[in-house]
Amino acid sequence: MDLFLRVEKNITNIALIASMIMLTISVALGFYQVVTRFIFNAPSEWSEVASISLMVWSVFLASAPAFKTGMMMSVDVIYRYVPNNKALYLKAFIGICCLSIILLLIWLGCDLAYRVRFQMVAGLKISMSWVYSALPVGCMFSFFAILGNLVHALNERKKPSNLERVLL
Amino acid sequence: MSIAIGFALIVFFALGVPIAISIIIASFIGIEFFSNLPLLLIAQRMVTGINSFPLLAIPFFILAGNLMSAGGISKRLVDLAKSIVGGFQGGLAMSCVVTCMMFAAVSGSSIATTFAIGSILIPAMVKHGYPRPVAASVQASSAELGVLIPPSIPLILFGVSTETSIGQLFIAGIGPGLLIAVALIIFVYCYCKIKGYGLNDKDDSLSFVSALKGSLIPLLMPVIVVGGIYGGVFTPTEASAVAVVFALVIGCFVYKELSFKTLTDVLKKSVISSCTVMMIIAAASLFSFLLSRSGFSADLAEWVTETFSNKYTFLIAINIVLLIVGMFVETASAILVLAPILTPIAIYFGVDPVHFGLIMVTNLALGMFTPPLGVNLFAACSVAKVSVDQILPSLLKFVIVIWFCLMAITYIPSITLFLRDAVY
C-alpha cells in the first residue's frame, strides 16, 4: 500500500505541474493577444483558441490535486452529525461514487475524443481530439488521486473493519 | 425527469459527495433512465461548458488575486485603510471594511479577501480588545464586498450563464458594493461606540500621504481593469490577463516579495481553486441543458408567472428562496443552476437582467457568511480561532445590516443601475 501511495503521489504531482504550466501559458497567450492587437495592430488569430484549449487542459489536470487535497467543493454538513467511527463508511461511499463517475468520464471522454478526430479546431489547425482528450486524461489522473485518498483514509485506521477488508 | 434529477441532486449533495460529481450523477440518472439522449452528451457538454473565452477570466482573476495577496499588497492596503478611518473609535474594525472593499477591487474572490485581510486585521483587532467573535463577524461580513465590487467571479458566472454583458454587471456592482461598505462602516462605528470597543484604535492612526504612496501602484489595478473594459481597450478576459501580468510585475519588481517558491505556491493554489469552480461550471452546463430539455425551466416559468401577480411579490419570493439556497449551496453552483432558469422570468416581470444579476449575487453572497454552509464564515472563524457557535450572536447583527442593504438593492433599482446607465 505504501508503494501505491508513493506512486500515486508522483502521478498527482505530474498532473499538478502540467496544470500549472498550462495555466501559465494560457495567461501568457491572453496577454499576447492584447499586445498584438493594441501595440502591433495585428490581432493574433490563434492565441484566443489556444488559450482556451490550454485552460480546458489545466482545469481537468488540476482535478487530480483538487480531489487529493479535498478541495473539491461539497456540502459537508453531514460530517457534523455522523459519529467519527462511522465517518469512514461515508468517506468510502463518497470515494466510490467519485471513482464510478470518473471511470464513466474516462470511457465517454475517450469515445468522444475518438469520434471528433477529423474535426479541426478553428484557428489552430489541429484535431478537436487534442482538446477533448483533456477530459479522459485529467480523469485518469483523478482516478489515482481518489483511490489514493481512499487507501490513505483506510490506512489511517489502526484496526481494520469488515468494510476495510472488503475494500482492500 | 426533472423530479428524479432534482431529488438525486439533493440526496448526493446532502451525503457530502463533491458538488460537481453530484451534478454529474444526477444528470447521468436523468439521461440513462428518463430520456433517449446519448450518454456521450455528458462528456460533450462538460468540455464545451468550459471551452469559452469569457470563462477564462475566472482562473485569470483568481491567479491575479493570489499574486497580489502573496506580493505584499494586503499589508499596504490595511495601512491605507487605517490612515483613512483609523483615527476614530472602532477605526480598526472600520479599516477591515475599507480594506476588504479595496482588496475586492484587485481580487475576484471573497474567500481570498477573508484570508488575506483577516489574517492581518483579526489578530490586530483581538490585540486591541475586540472579542474574537466580533472581529471574525466584521471580517466575514466585509468579505461580501469581494463578490460585488469588480472584478467579481460570481458576476462573471452570472454573465456567462445568462448571456448578460459582464462589463455592465461589473460597473453595476460598484453601487451595491459602496452601499454595503458604507452601511457596514456606520454600523461598526455605532456598535463600537455602544459597546466601547476599539477605544485605543486612534493610537494606530497612520499618515494618509505615506500610506497612499505605499499602496498607489496596486490601486492602479482596478483603474486599469475597469478603465480598460469601459474604454474599449480590452474584454473582461483580456483585462484579467493584463491584471495577472500587472500583479506579477508589482510582486516581482516593485515590492520584490515574489520569489520562485512563492510563485509556484501561488500557481498551485490558483490551479486548484480554479479547477474547483470550473468543474462545477462544466457539470452545471450539462445540468442546465438537461433541465431546459426536460421542460422544467418552461414549467417553472409558467407556474411563477401564474402565482405571482407583480414584480414585487416575485422579488420577495426570490429574496427568500435565494437566502435559503445560499445557506446550503455554494454560490457558484447556485448561480450556474438557477440563473439561466430565473433570469428569463425576471425579465418577464420587467426586472433588468443586470439588476437581477446583482440581486442574485448579493442574496447568495449573504449565504457565504451564514451557517450551515458559509465559506467566508468558516474562513473567518479559522483565522480568528473561534467556533461557529461562538460567532453566531454577534454575526446576526451583521446579517441584519446586509439584509437591509439587500432590500434596498432589490427594490431601488437605481442603486444598481445609475452607473450602468451613466456609462452605457
Side-chain angles (χ1 to χ4, degrees):
Chain A
M1 279 306 146
D2 284 347
L3 177 68
F4 170 76
L5 287 176
R6 274 207 302 276
V7 172
E8 178 274 315
K9 192 180 168 191
N10 287 330
I11 290 173
T12 307
N13 275 340
I14 291 169
L16 176 64
I17 292 165
S19 172
M20 285 157 59
I21 293 169
M22 293 200 182
L23 174 68
T24 310
I25 302 172
S26 183
V27 173
L29 289 176
F31 188 68
Y32 171 78
Q33 190 165 309
V34 180
V35 172
T36 54
R37 195 161 68 212
F38 290 101
I39 298 180
F40 301 120
N41 261 335
S44 158
E45 289 172 5
W46 56 272
S47 55
E48 181 176 317
V49 190
S51 185
I52 301 168
S53 305
L54 284 165
M55 183 50 63
V56 172
W57 269 93
S58 174
V59 167
F60 287 120
L61 285 171
S63 62
F67 274 116
K68 176 75 187 171
T69 50
M71 292 289 283
M72 277 293 178
M73 283 182 226
S74 58
V75 182
D76 45 11
V77 184
I78 192 166
Y79 283 103
R80 288 193 210 163
Y81 304 101
V82 174
N84 277 345
N85 57 343
K86 297 277 185 283
L88 183 71
Y89 291 89
L90 187 63
K91 276 185 187 170
F93 171 76
I94 293 169
I96 290 164
C97 283
C98 293
L99 284 176
S100 313
I101 288 299
I102 289 294
L103 283 174
L104 176 76
L105 290 177
I106 292 172
W107 169 52
L108 294 173
C110 288
D111 190 5
L112 188 65
Y114 182 74
R115 281 175 194 239
V116 297
R117 66 192 184 281
F118 298 121
Q119 289 178 32
M120 305 303 274
V121 180
L124 281 183
K125 292 176 187 163
I126 57 163
S127 165
M128 282 291 273
S129 297
W130 285 104
V131 180
Y132 279 94
S133 301
L135 177 67
V137 173
C139 286
M140 278 178 209
F141 281 106
S142 297
F143 181 82
F144 287 103
I146 298 165
L147 201 61
N149 264 0
L150 210 53
V151 171
H152 182 74
L154 298 179
N155 264 359
E156 289 282 288
R157 301 246 308 193
K158 285 173 188 166
K159 289 181 184 173
S161 66
N162 289 338
L163 175 74
E164 289 167 20
R165 276 194 285 273
V166 171
L167 284 169
L168 290 171
Chain B
M1 173 161 89
S2 42
I3 295 171
I5 59 177
F7 180 73
L9 190 68
I10 292 167
V11 169
F12 285 100
F13 267 15
L15 286 171
V17 176
I19 290 170
I21 298 290
S22 301
I23 298 173
I24 302 170
I25 295 174
S27 306
F28 170 76
I29 292 170
I31 293 173
E32 184 64 15
F33 302 110
F34 299 96
S35 79
N36 299 320
L37 296 166
L39 275 179
L40 209 57
L41 190 74
I42 297 177
Q44 194 261 338
R45 293 299 308 185
M46 280 193 70
V47 178
T48 51
I50 55 169
N51 197 357
S52 127
F53 193 61
L55 280 178
L56 275 185
I58 293 174
F60 290 2
F61 275 130
I62 289 177
L63 178 59
N66 286 340
L67 281 170
M68 280 286 192
S69 189
I73 181 190
S74 313
K75 195 189 161 300
R76 289 168 176 90
L77 289 182
V78 169
D79 286 347
L80 180 64
K82 275 185 190 170
S83 75
I84 298 169
V85 288
F88 303 94
Q89 183 182 348
L92 211 51
M94 288 191 280
S95 303
C96 184
V97 181
V98 176
T99 316
C100 283
M101 189 173 72
M102 292 190 288
F103 195 83
V106 295
S107 160
S109 151
S110 63
I111 189 141
T113 311
T114 310
F115 278 116
I117 309 303
S119 57
I120 299 173
L121 278 176
I122 291 177
M125 281 192 267
V126 172
K127 203 172 152 191
H128 275 233
Y130 289 84
R132 281 179 185 275
V134 173
S137 300
V138 174
Q139 178 57 59
S141 50
S142 305
E144 162 118 0
L145 297 166
V147 296
L148 292 174
I149 293 181
S152 152
I153 288 164
L155 287 178
I156 297 172
L157 289 175
F158 183 87
V160 171
S161 59
T162 62
E163 292 175 4
T164 307
S165 157
I166 295 170
Q168 290 195 20
L169 286 164
F170 273 9
I171 203 152
I174 295 173
L178 287 176
L179 172 77
I180 292 179
V182 171
L184 281 175
I185 289 171
I186 294 170
F187 174 72
V188 164
Y189 178 74
C190 299
Y191 190 58
C192 290
K193 276 271 179 196
I194 294 165
K195 295 277 184 181
Y197 300 142
L199 284 166
N200 303 325
D201 287 1
K202 292 171 204 164
D203 307 343
D204 255 9
S205 181
L206 300 164
S207 149
F208 175 71
V209 178
S210 63
L212 185 65
K213 270 184 196 165
S215 53
L216 197 59
I217 299 171
L219 283 176
L220 281 177
M221 183 158 140
V223 177
I224 293 171
V225 169
V226 178
I229 294 170
Y230 298 112
V233 182
F234 30 66
T235 63
T237 305
E238 289 167 346
S240 63
V242 172
V244 173
V245 175
F246 186 71
L248 195 63
V249 170
I250 292 177
C252 289
F253 303 111
V254 180
Y255 294 149
K256 295 176 182 159
E257 290 192 23
L258 283 179
S259 62
F260 182 73
K261 168 84 177 62
T262 325
L263 270 176
T264 47
D265 286 345
V266 165
L267 270 173
K268 181 181 167 185
K269 208 167 117 184
S270 303
V271 289
I272 293 178
S273 304
S274 306
C275 168
T276 57
V277 179
M278 298 291 269
M279 282 296 278
I280 294 174
I281 296 172
S285 145
L286 166 70
F287 192 73
S288 302
F289 175 80
L290 284 180
L291 280 186
S292 66
R293 180 82 197 210
S294 71
F296 174 77
S297 310
D299 291 347
L300 182 76
E302 197 184 322
W303 179 79
V304 171
T305 47
E306 279 171 9
T307 311
F308 300 102
S309 52
N310 59 49
K311 85 169 180 182
Y312 296 105
T313 49
F314 165 72
L315 286 174
I316 289 170
I318 286 291
N319 284 148
I320 295 167
V321 168
L322 291 182
L323 178 71
I324 296 165
V325 170
M327 284 167 76
F328 293 94
V329 183
E330 192 275 327
T331 308
S333 345
I335 290 172
L336 288 163
V337 174
L338 296 176
I341 301 171
L342 296 176
T343 309
I345 306 174
I347 294 170
Y348 170 85
F349 278 109
V351 183
D352 190 292
V354 172
H355 180 211
F356 187 69
L358 265 301
I359 295 172
M360 197 165 179
V361 170
T362 314
N363 214 152
L364 288 170
L366 195 55
M368 291 170 96
F369 66 98
T370 48
L373 230 191
V375 281
N376 287 335
L377 175 66
F378 297 149
C381 285
S382 95
V383 176
K385 297 182 181 73
V386 287
S387 71
V388 174
D389 303 338
Q390 286 173 301
I391 194 180
L392 283 181
S394 59
L395 185 74
L396 185 66
K397 301 170 187 83
F398 289 87
V399 172
I400 293 168
V401 172
I402 306 273
W403 178 258
F404 275 114
C405 292
L406 172 66
M407 292 295 104
I409 292 162
T410 307
Y411 301 105
I412 310 171
S414 52
I415 293 172
T416 308
L417 299 177
F418 80 98
L419 259 179
R420 195 273 313 254
D421 293 343
V423 173
Y424 284 93

